[in-house]
Amino acid sequence: DAAEKLLSHVGINPRRLSLEWVSAAEAPRFVSIVTGFSERIKSMGPLGVSEGLAGEKLTFRLRAAKAVSEGEKFRWILGKKTEFSREGNVYGEVFSRHELGRLLEGLIIEDFQVHEILQLLEGESLTVKEIAGRLGLQPALVLTHLTALRRRKLTEVREIKEGSPYYGLYPKENEKRHGC
């Protein structure tokens, strides 16, 4: 469910993912599942093509999705999903599948935007308006994310030109992201 939501947000058809449980004693069923999945993938064509994602854009979006899936908040929510739906949170509030789905979708959207911003800042310093334009986001939302990233010492204001701050990765974050 979570992987499908993440793929959908990237713009990849979630039908490109399949998870089935098959016993070793179910060889004919296994063959049927693999054959059906292979045919479905072949009919969709190469990854990103039927979805309208070009090579560089696809890579950019997949990198952001990978970062989201590796994130602490994403993994925490997945780990608590069963507990929240059966026993509830510390206040005893039990969440429906729909509510947990909305929580996960909100997290994916927010973290995806943050990781796209971080990727953009890997190569250059940019203004809020430049980031917003490249990602198709509202400048106010980008500024909110940058403010939070600055507090976490992931980004910094590199310089101010003509009254506009240019943001870049905080030096230690840049080193970490590039394996230095």
Side-chain angles (χ1 to χ4, degrees):
D1 183 45
E4 286 179 351
K5 285 181 188 336
L6 189 53
L7 286 174
S8 290
H9 189 74
V10 170
I12 294 174
N13 186 336
R15 290 182 33 91
R16 288 187 179 274
L17 174 69
S18 180
L19 179 62
E20 299 279 342
W21 298 105
V22 182
S23 160
E26 298 177 290
R29 182 169 177 257
F30 175 77
V31 169
S32 172
I33 290 170
V34 171
T35 302
F37 182 71
S38 296
E39 289 170 0
R40 183 169 71 218
I41 294 300
K42 283 179 187 173
S43 73
M44 290 180 184
L47 182 63
V49 172
S50 65
E51 292 91 349
L53 293 172
E56 223 173 273
K57 185 176 182 181
L58 176 63
T59 301
F60 183 81
R61 293 182 67 80
L62 285 173
R63 280 185 67 203
K66 181 178 185 274
V68 170
S69 72
E70 293 171 345
E72 187 177 343
K73 287 189 280 185
F74 185 80
R75 291 189 330 254
W76 184 84
I77 287 175
L78 293 181
K80 293 288 190 178
K81 212 170 169 185
T82 302
E83 180 182 331
F84 285 170
S85 65
R86 290 187 184 156
E87 298 141 36
N89 62 13
V90 293
Y91 303 107
E93 300 167 317
V94 176
F95 297 93
S96 70
R97 180 178 165 95
H98 175 73
E99 289 169 322
L100 289 169
R102 286 183 52 211
L103 175 66
L104 187 60
E105 284 173 17
L107 172 83
I108 288 170
I109 290 167
E110 184 175 308
D111 270 12
F112 194 82
Q113 292 167 350
V114 165
H115 288 290
E116 282 188 313
I117 290 169
L118 290 170
Q119 276 189 83
L120 283 180
L121 296 177
E122 281 180 6
E124 59 188 317
S125 297
L126 299 166
T127 66
V128 168
K129 286 184 180 180
E130 289 170 334
I131 294 168
R134 290 189 191 182
L135 299 178
L137 301 173
Q138 293 295 317
L141 180 59
V142 171
L143 183 58
T144 300
H145 288 315
L146 285 169
T147 301
L149 289 167
R150 282 184 66 203
R151 268 190 252 117
R152 293 171 46 206
K153 296 203 182 300
L154 296 175
T155 62
E156 66 180 0
V157 174
R158 290 277 171 85
E159 61 183 320
I160 298 178
K161 291 183 194 171
E162 299 174 16
S164 293
Y166 281 73
Y167 294 86
L169 291 182
Y170 195 75
K172 292 205 183 281
E173 178 64 15
N174 206 8
E175 290 172 12
K176 187 171 83 176
R177 291 176 78 83
H178 292 301
C180 300

